[in-house]
Every structure is written in structure tokens, then in C-alpha cells.
Amino acid sequence: MNFSDLPIENKLKKTIELAEFKTPTPIQNQSIPVSLLGKDILGTAQTGTGKTLAFTIPMLNNLIKNKQAMGLIICPTRELASQVMQTILKLNVREIGITNALLIGGESMQKQLRKLNKKARIIVGTPGRINDHLKRKSLNLSKVNYLVLDETDRMLDMGFTPQIEHILKFVPEKHQTLLFSATLPDNILKISKKYLNNP
């Protein structure tokens, strides 16, 4: 299957083509069609297998179709959050142009607040900084209908479980969740039972 065969919006097909993404990797092939149907996903694949595109394409498609919706992507480290945002920016060019904000530590709070004031609809960040913004009431997650937990095994190893659980209290009950992890230890399966709906 090629990306052009996917049942997605034409302007998204065009930006995928412009970004020169040609053939989906196995994780993309398996997960994109399922997530386009709005189903929850528990995906496992090693780093570097194209997980980012596996959740970014369905998210952008969802946000193009639903002008009110928001997407939230939680990553364990700033480096990973920055990489994810780079992929999003590669696809989310002028034709699509959905507002976004990268919420990570070590970056100017003012810059992040400016982005959030512009009603960013794609939020990528680390648990600590996302929680900082929730405490300040500068981040409103009440419109999130697409949630991604990326490299969840690393987030749990780093002790982020309480912070993730706190963030999820601000996300509406009705939303789609995609959980990606390089490994599937017991604690991941436990979290997936708690937060995923028949993945």
C-alpha cells in the first residue's frame, strides 16, 4: 500500500507527497488504517520504525475534518518531543496550517504562552511542562479528541505515571488514544487496560 491509497483528505495526501514519504513502514501499514477509523491502538515497534508518522497522519486527518478538535502528543523527553514536532511541521505546511505548540522544559515559557494564546490545536510536549501549563491555566485540553502516548515504556521508567494520570484528568472522556511503546511489559498492559478502549 502507498500513502496515496489511504482514505485521507487530499491536502494531506499532497503534503505527504511533498515531504517525500513514499511507502509506509510495517507499523504505519498496520496502524494508520485502524486509527483512521477512530479506534484506539496499542502499538509496539522499535525506535526508528516510523511510529511518528503512524500517529501524525491520522491526527492531521482528524483535525482537518473536525475544525474544533485538538491533538495531544505526550513524549518522555524534550529531544523526542522536538523530533515529533519536526515531523508534524514537515506535513502541516501552509496548505493545512493547523496551529501548534511545543511544550518542553528548557524552552522559553513566553514563546510557549504566545503559541497557546493563538489557540494551538496540536500540542506536543513532555509531562512536566504540560502539567506546568495546566497549573498556570494556560493550557486547555477540553477539545482534545486525539491523544498519543509515545514511547510509553520510557515514560513509565522515568517515573512519569502520576504526571500522565494528572494530564488525562483534563482530557474529555470521549477521545481516541494511541499508545506506542518499544516494549510491552506488564505495567504498559496495565495502563492500556485502564486508558484504552478495546485497542
Side-chain angles (χ1 to χ4, degrees), residues 24-109:
T25 64
I27 186 81
Q28 293 162 5
N29 234 334
Q30 288 177 297
S31 68
I32 292 175
V34 179
S35 43
L36 286 170
L37 297 170
K39 293 185 191 304
D40 285 4
I41 283 187
L42 174 57
T44 178
Q46 293 309 313
T47 306
T49 48
K51 288 197 303 281
T52 306
L53 221 50
F55 57 73
T56 306
I57 289 174
M59 178 189 68
L60 284 168
N61 199 61
N62 169 27
L63 298 183
I64 292 167
K65 286 164 74 166
N66 183 345
K67 300 282 186 276
Q68 298 308 310
M70 283 174 71
L72 171 65
I73 300 169
I74 307 175
C75 304
T77 63
R78 326 176 212 194
E79 294 73 33
L80 186 66
S82 301
Q83 282 169 18
V84 167
M85 186 54 97
Q86 279 166 356
T87 302
I88 289 169
L89 293 173
K90 209 168 171 179
L91 289 178
N92 184 22
V93 285
R94 266 204 312 269
E95 285 81 7
I96 299 176
I98 295 167
T99 46
N100 55 71
L102 177 63
L103 307 182
I104 54 176
E107 278 234 330
S108 144
M109 201 65 161

Side-chain angles (χ1 to χ4, degrees), residues 120-188:
R121 291 177 58 212
I122 297 172
I123 306 290
V124 180
T126 49
R129 186 49 70 98
I130 292 171
N131 271 310
D132 289 345
H133 282 284
L134 288 170
K135 276 195 198 83
R136 281 171 164 249
K137 296 196 166 42
S138 48
L139 176 60
N140 179 349
L141 299 178
S142 65
K143 297 268 196 309
V144 169
N145 75 349
Y146 191 96
L147 168 72
V148 178
L149 300 171
D150 193 17
E151 303 222 348
T152 311
D153 45 357
R154 280 178 71 193
M155 287 205 276
L156 301 191
D157 289 346
M158 291 163 79
F160 283 137
T161 308
Q163 287 180 303
I164 293 167
E165 295 196 327
H166 186 254
I167 294 166
L168 295 187
K169 287 181 183 148
F170 292 85
V171 173
E173 210 172 302
K174 196 174 169 354
H175 67 268
Q176 179 180 4
T177 306
L178 289 83
L179 189 158
F180 285 94
S181 183
T183 58
L184 290 181
D186 286 346
N187 56 355
I188 295 275

Side-chain angles (χ1 to χ4, degrees), residues 9-22:
E9 298 291 304
N10 283 333
K11 51 181 159 184
L12 181 52
K13 279 186 185 177
K14 192 158 179 48
T15 62
I16 292 170
E17 200 182 309
L18 288 171
E20 296 187 347
F21 294 122
K22 298 253 187 320

